[in-house]
Amino acid sequence: MNFIPHTQSDIKQMLEAIGVTSIDGLFNIPSGLKPKSFDIAPGKSEFEVSEILRKLSLKNAIGLVNFVGAGFYDHFIPAAVDSITSRSEFYTAYTPYQPECSQGWLQAIYEYQSIICRLTGLDVSNASLYDGGTAIFEAMMMAIRQTGRHKIIVDSGVNLIYRTMLYTYTLNLSIEFVEIPVIHGQSSREVLFKCLDDKTAAVIFQNPNFFGAIDDYSDAVKEVHKSGALAIASVYPVSLGILKTPGEMGFDIATGEGQSLGIPLSFGGPYLGFMAVKDELIRQMPGRIVGATVDSDGKRGFVLTLQTREQHIRRHRATSNICSNEALCALRAAVFVSLLGRNGFRQLAEQNYQRAEFVKERLSKIGGVEVKRSSPTFNEFTVLLPKNADEVVRVMIEKGFAAGFPLGRFYKGMDNYLLIAVTEKRTEEEILSFTDCLKKVL
């Protein structure tokens, strides 16, 4: 039952005080824009609502063996992650503002930042962003502020969701976007180098890219720097257990989606965007940075060192309007990586790679299936099917398998191409059943 504290008499007095005869008079809405009616169904009891939701949930396809990736991955999450992050002292999504009573939270964020720096090989990380797409946007805006330029080169191997976010967020800004093609899985150096000029603020790459291809961008980054631009990498964090880091390749900024670090798929969120940068870019970084210090007694403590958002400084000096640092998701990531440790994280990456190679080997023996091998891959790869990939996926779902992502949904002319992801959760039995079933469907 709604609680409205004002009586009819109170409402009448307030309307008279402002010279309005009715509540509707407060809203000067043209008649053509007003709703014809609020045809809202009668309220239901808690039990009735629960039953409606339960029946709706039964329509979900559950128990599918998942071979879908495309930026979001089905990794195993140790039970300890849920146990630790569900403790009452951790269960919040917000930044602590009083260091004297928030040392535990501040230290957790500090450890998360340290982990991201170790993973990416860069100097400084912030206290997390909303997701992988907004992280790329923030990195791009950093480059524009740092260089004073307004041309952005984007590799077409960057996830289309992220590219769409970039173009949507900047519709009202004077930014020139140039996309460079992917040729045989790799970024076209020839086209990139022709596009670089003194107007370029940044070049955005993804590794592994959306097709699953791995690339060493060291040579490209050198050319980007020669033009005075910044190099931005969007990375899959689990792959960094065995791949060359953005820092080793010379990137100025590394971003990515942290969902694979202990965060369940959850129908699309909430997720976690991470960012790490070189030291010289620290004051252009959005969000917050937690730092370690000592108190007046010489004891170690933690504080919010930098807060460049609009709530803390004048709006025109703010780097962004990020108001939540996804702290609960960041905590899950920190706990997940800490539980695995250095060797465990490397083993996780190796298992993902090896199982994907096993699936490649099995698929290559199916007549009409071509596994694309022009570039090395991590745990995700592209195959060319003899049939429409969308149709194949539909049939495979009926047989209990989420077979992959049909690339034709994002790229014209690729209707028969399927993007397949394999994680450590896919057992040998599941892989054998999957490939046998796909052979029958084709």
Side-chain angles (χ1 to χ4, degrees), residues 34 43 53 72 115 128 142 196 205 221 223 228 235 238 260-261 279 295 326 333 335 358 401 406 421:
K34 290 182 179 180
L53 295 176
F72 311 97
I115 287 169
S128 75
M142 284 178 63
L196 284 170
F205 300 100
V221 170
E223 293 300 317
V235 294
V238 172
S260 58
L261 302 177
D279 270 332
D295 64 13
E326 299 297 316
V335 172
F358 178 50
F401 295 95

Side-chain angles (χ1 to χ4, degrees), residues 38 166 180 190 234 244 290 295 301 311-312 388 400:
F38 291 99
L166 282 180
I180 58 173
E190 181 181 357
S234 177
K244 200 171 184 179
V290 174
D295 64 13
Q311 288 186 348
H312 296 95
N388 181 281

Side-chain angles (χ1 to χ4, degrees), residues 195-213:
C195 291
L196 284 170
D197 56 29
D198 58 6
K199 297 179 181 178
T200 305
V203 181
I204 302 174
F205 300 100
Q206 181 173 313
N207 194 42
N209 68 16
F210 192 70
F211 304 101

Side-chain angles (χ1 to χ4, degrees), residues 73 75 119 208 235-243 257-262 274 336-337 340 344-353 378-379 423-424:
Y73 301 92
H75 289 288
L119 281 178
V235 294
Y236 176 14
V238 172
S239 72
L240 297 177
I242 56 176
L243 297 186
E257 173 55 65
Q259 174 273 322
S260 58
L261 302 177
F274 64 83
F336 176 84
V337 178
L340 268 63
F345 198 81
R346 182 182 297 112
Q347 290 172 18
L348 171 66
E350 289 173 349
Q351 284 191 28
N352 276 253
Y353 171 76
F378 173 55
N379 73 335
T423 70
E424 77 286 351

Side-chain angles (χ1 to χ4, degrees), residues 391-409:
E391 178 62 21
V392 171
V393 166
R394 185 189 63 77
V395 176
M396 290 292 286
I397 285 176
E398 294 173 357
K399 297 181 179 298
F401 295 95
F405 183 85
L407 287 171
R409 296 181 185 179

Side-chain angles (χ1 to χ4, degrees), residues 19-34:
V20 180
T21 57
S22 67
I23 294 293
D24 288 340
L26 290 172
F27 305 98
N28 185 21
I29 301 174
S31 58
L33 298 179
K34 290 182 179 180

